[in-house]
Amino acid sequence: MIDRRGILAGGMALAASPALAKAGARKADPTFPKGFLWGASTAGHQVEGNNTSSDLWFLENQTPTVFATPSGDAANSFELWEKDLDLARDIGLNCYRFGIEWPRIEPEKGLFSRAMLDHYARIVDGCRARGLAPVLTYSHFTAPRWFSAQGGWTNPESADLFARYVTRVTQALGDRLHAAITFNEPNILLILEQILPPPVWDIQKLTLETASKRLGVPRFLPANVATRADIPALQAGMLAAHPAAKAAIKAVRGDLPVGLSLSMLDDQAAGKHSIRDRMREAMYGPWLRLAAKDDFLGVQNYERAIWGESAKLPAPADAVRNWSGTEVYAPSLGNSVRYAHQASGVPILVSEHGVGTEDDTIRAKFIPESLVGLKAAIDDGVPVLGYCHWSLIDNFEWIFGYKPKFGLASVDPVTFARNPKPSAAVYGKIAGANSL
């Protein structure tokens, strides 16, 4: 088990809660806690390629679709996973957060692939061999096509089906894991509900209606492509599935730290009657209360939101911008981590943080500036287990296709060669020294 200070019983420490300074002025210490995790993150569907049994592959390869382009070969990481691990090691990291694909492991309902379980077990072993702590995500949005064809997370048996899959995976490779994440950003639609314009919801609705007709089912529903009307039932299904999956993991390996990851903005209040607190409850509330029972909480932060009296306010006109025109704001990380711990009471793992841009100088500046804020939160007593940058490599970014570039390394679309960017060296120097 893991206590509220982040120490794993049995001798394997994820991280220790830092000691607070004694009375008087505190001298800033650039060194992170001993055992701090320095990692990079990927997701199976986004890097592996040819995930043909998945629900999203089915949506990507139809007309009409909300996806800008199909995932196709992605970064071919299904074949080249060793190169990814070599890259993480060579950058100087000690952790790799990655996702496994339920569609590969259970391509048809009740049919489990021993070969695919062995494949992912080899990745876990490959992490260990390279000194990388493997942090595994069991569900990173995608699900088997058959699962979403029966209503996905809105189906009454979804929690039991997920727990069954989680049990098989944990039996196959759980003894070598460092930590486990059940769901990646199960609250993402709660945030997008506040941000996406109506035309995007319209094309998502048409995409799902087309898929349902193709399969002859009443409701085809993935976790991250939905209509506004689907959101409450999807949330209810995943809120039930997380504790079921955690119990399944603990039944196989009781000492494995388990949590979930949330997409979290740095929510700031503007004005006396700001809607910030109401928005926080809408976007995170039920999940933070559920996470309070977990071993840790994964925080995935990319930006801040300034909430006025009725809506999200625009960023300052002079702000640095990412690929989509959204503000790049380094203090966002430390601020979101502080709130996540305050609201949940559990240790925090930064499971994703990064910036989508083709200008790597922005990333190279953004990483250390963000880590200054994270270290300040640690110095103030927030137990932070580690930092995993999104992403190790440029990859398929869901409905936006391959336009956003988040990687520490680029990927040649023809040869699949991984080429580290200058920001990788900046990050690697911090990770290697465990210090700013």
Side-chain angles (χ1 to χ4, degrees), residues 24-76:
R26 181 181 64 213
K27 184 178 180 180
D29 180 359
T31 304
F32 282 77
K34 184 178 180 181
F36 195 79
L37 298 177
W38 293 104
S41 297
T42 60
H45 189 81
Q46 293 180 261
V47 298
E48 289 180 347
N50 301 302
N51 190 22
T52 57
S53 295
S54 72
D55 50 4
L56 295 187
W57 179 274
F58 191 70
L59 295 186
E60 294 163 18
N61 291 280
Q62 71 172 30
T63 302
T65 182
V66 69
F67 288 86
T69 186
S71 53
D73 289 326
N76 197 25

Side-chain angles (χ1 to χ4, degrees), residues 150-162:
Q150 62 176 40
W153 300 105
T154 68
N155 189 295
E157 67 172 344
S158 60
D160 290 339
L161 290 171
F162 187 52

Side-chain angles (χ1 to χ4, degrees), residues 160-182:
D160 290 339
L161 290 171
F162 187 52
R164 182 178 69 174
Y165 148 72
V166 165
T167 296
R168 293 292 186 101
V169 172
T170 311
Q171 288 171 338
L173 47 82
D175 61 324
R176 287 98 83 201
L177 295 179
H178 190 79
I181 294 172
T182 57

Side-chain angles (χ1 to χ4, degrees), residues 75-77 79-90 96 130 132 392-393 409 415-418:
N76 197 25
S77 289
E79 298 291 340
L80 301 178
W81 60 267
E82 289 182 283
K83 290 188 180 297
D84 293 339
L85 299 188
D86 289 344
L87 174 64
R89 176 200 60 201
D90 293 346
Y96 183 55
R130 292 165 176 81
L132 301 169
L392 179 66
I393 55 178
T415 67
F416 301 112
R418 280 82 164 127

Side-chain angles (χ1 to χ4, degrees), residues 152-223:
W153 300 105
T154 68
N155 189 295
E157 67 172 344
S158 60
D160 290 339
L161 290 171
F162 187 52
R164 182 178 69 174
Y165 148 72
V166 165
T167 296
R168 293 292 186 101
V169 172
T170 311
Q171 288 171 338
L173 47 82
D175 61 324
R176 287 98 83 201
L177 295 179
H178 190 79
I181 294 172
T182 57
F183 282 108
N184 176 82
E185 295 183 343
N187 68 321
I188 189 63
L189 290 176
L190 298 176
I191 292 180
L192 295 179
E193 191 175 16
Q194 318 303 326
I195 296 173
L196 291 181
V200 178
W201 293 103
D202 292 341
I203 186 62
Q204 289 194 149
K205 184 174 185 290
L206 185 57
T207 298
L208 296 174
E209 289 174 347
T210 302
S212 298
K213 289 178 182 177
R214 290 173 67 200
L215 288 170
V217 298
R219 194 181 200 186
F220 186 88
L221 191 57

Side-chain angles (χ1 to χ4, degrees), residues 243-260:
K246 182 173 68 173
I249 294 169
K250 295 289 190 178
V252 177
R253 185 181 159 194
D255 67 337
L256 181 63
V258 180
L260 56 89

